[in-house]
Amino acid sequence: MRHGEPRARLATHGMAHLARLLQWSDSTLPVGAFAFSNGLESALQTGVVRDADSLLSFVELVLHQTARVDGVALLHAHRAALAEDYPGVVAADQELLCRRVGEEQQLMLTRMGKKFAELALRIAPSPMPARWLADIRSEATPGCLPIGQAITLAGLGARESEAFVVHQYGIASMILSAALRLMRIDHFETQRILFTAQGRVQDDYLAVRDLALDEMAAFAPVFDVLVAHHTTVHVRLFMN
């Protein structure tokens, strides 16, 4: 019995760790994701997305792009948080915002980032997220969502690959939640698309894990045009 107890404790810790990681990727997390479509609204208005197949292609495009921009910043912030290098966290935050040139994209990143930090301090308080939120409020750092995810999950013992998965899952889930409100598609199709799109997460992580912070970049002109288009339309349901 005694030999089994440490193993039982280890298994329980592992199960709690997994459960808490799932909580941070839950689509009901109250950080404001419901207000953003991540370009899908314009994609539908311009005919880039027409049906389930083109929706899958759009989700995969966005995941490819975010992995090479937001994902790189997240990995660097996670490593900086583990090393207790707060200036490194702020550097990743600022570099990420510089590469999101669209006004609405910046709004999405910073509004959700601030909400994420406030939530983290309510349910899993720790010094670095508290300092980061204080700097957001004083406008000393922009407060991008992937940075908040990185430092919070690092504090909870998540590996960088796990933090990356949480971020990418959240992006796909946000778009597909918006799809249910914007187009004729049911929950079965969106779940099929989500399942398929998540199959690329390891390849995306391996593609970006060794990139330097100043190598954040993604060539996705269609997505950039859609983001710009959304700022000019008069009738819209989402903030971006």
Side-chain angles (χ1 to χ4, degrees):
M1 184 68 178
R2 287 183 180 176
H3 290 295
E5 287 175 357
R7 257 184 275 177
R9 284 198 298 269
L10 180 62
T12 303
H13 173 76
M15 291 169 66
H17 176 71
L18 175 59
R20 285 168 175 163
L21 284 182
L22 292 174
Q23 180 178 354
W24 293 110
S25 62
D26 196 302
S27 61
T28 62
L29 204 66
V31 296
F34 66 88
F36 301 97
S37 74
N38 221 328
L40 178 62
E41 189 164 29
S42 281
L44 285 161
Q45 291 169 345
T46 57
V48 171
V49 172
R50 303 169 305 281
D51 50 26
D53 289 340
S54 54
L55 176 59
L56 171 59
S57 297
F58 180 78
V59 171
E60 291 181 328
L61 166 69
V62 176
L63 290 177
H64 174 88
Q65 199 239 25
T66 55
R68 287 151 182 79
V69 182
D70 304 56
V72 175
L74 177 143
L75 293 177
H76 280 270
H78 186 280
R79 293 164 191 167
L82 290 180
E84 298 184 358
D85 172 18
Y86 186 71
V89 170
V90 172
D93 200 8
Q94 294 172 341
E95 289 292 326
L96 175 55
L97 192 71
C98 287
R99 285 162 176 79
R100 286 299 190 189
V101 295
E103 180 183 351
E104 292 183 349
Q105 283 288 297
Q106 291 182 346
L107 174 67
M108 180 184 76
L109 282 176
T110 55
R111 182 167 293 186
M112 290 179 62
K114 183 179 180 181
K115 290 293 185 183
F116 190 95
E118 292 171 345
L119 177 66
L121 288 178
R122 292 290 297 273
I123 64 177
S126 62
M128 188 170 289
R131 181 178 180 183
W132 188 63
L133 179 58
D135 281 349
I136 293 171
R137 288 171 172 165
S138 67
E139 300 184 353
T141 196
C144 297
L145 173 64
I147 310 305
Q149 292 172 319
I151 60 178
T152 299
L153 294 173
L156 293 172
R159 297 188 296 270
E160 66 174 46
S161 57
E162 293 173 327
F164 184 87
V165 169
V166 167
H167 175 261
Q168 294 294 96
Y169 180 91
I171 294 296
S173 180
M174 181 198 309
I175 297 170
L176 293 170
S177 176
L180 289 167
R181 288 175 279 169
L182 287 169
M183 59 189 294
R184 297 186 64 177
I185 194 168
D186 60 33
H187 290 82
F188 294 101
E189 276 298 296
T190 56
Q191 288 301 311
R192 179 189 66 80
I193 291 169
L194 181 61
F195 187 86
T196 301
Q198 291 308 299
R200 64 174 297 129
V201 68
Q202 181 171 321
D203 289 341
D204 281 335
Y205 169 70
L206 294 175
V208 306
R209 66 178 179 180
D210 295 324
L211 295 180
L213 195 56
D214 62 6
E215 291 180 294
M216 280 193 292
F219 182 71
V222 172
F223 181 75
D224 292 337
V225 169
L226 291 174
V227 169
H229 168 270
H230 196 260
T231 63
T232 65
V233 297
H234 297 291
V235 179
R236 55 188 184 181
L237 180 62
F238 292 88
M239 295 176 117
N240 84 344

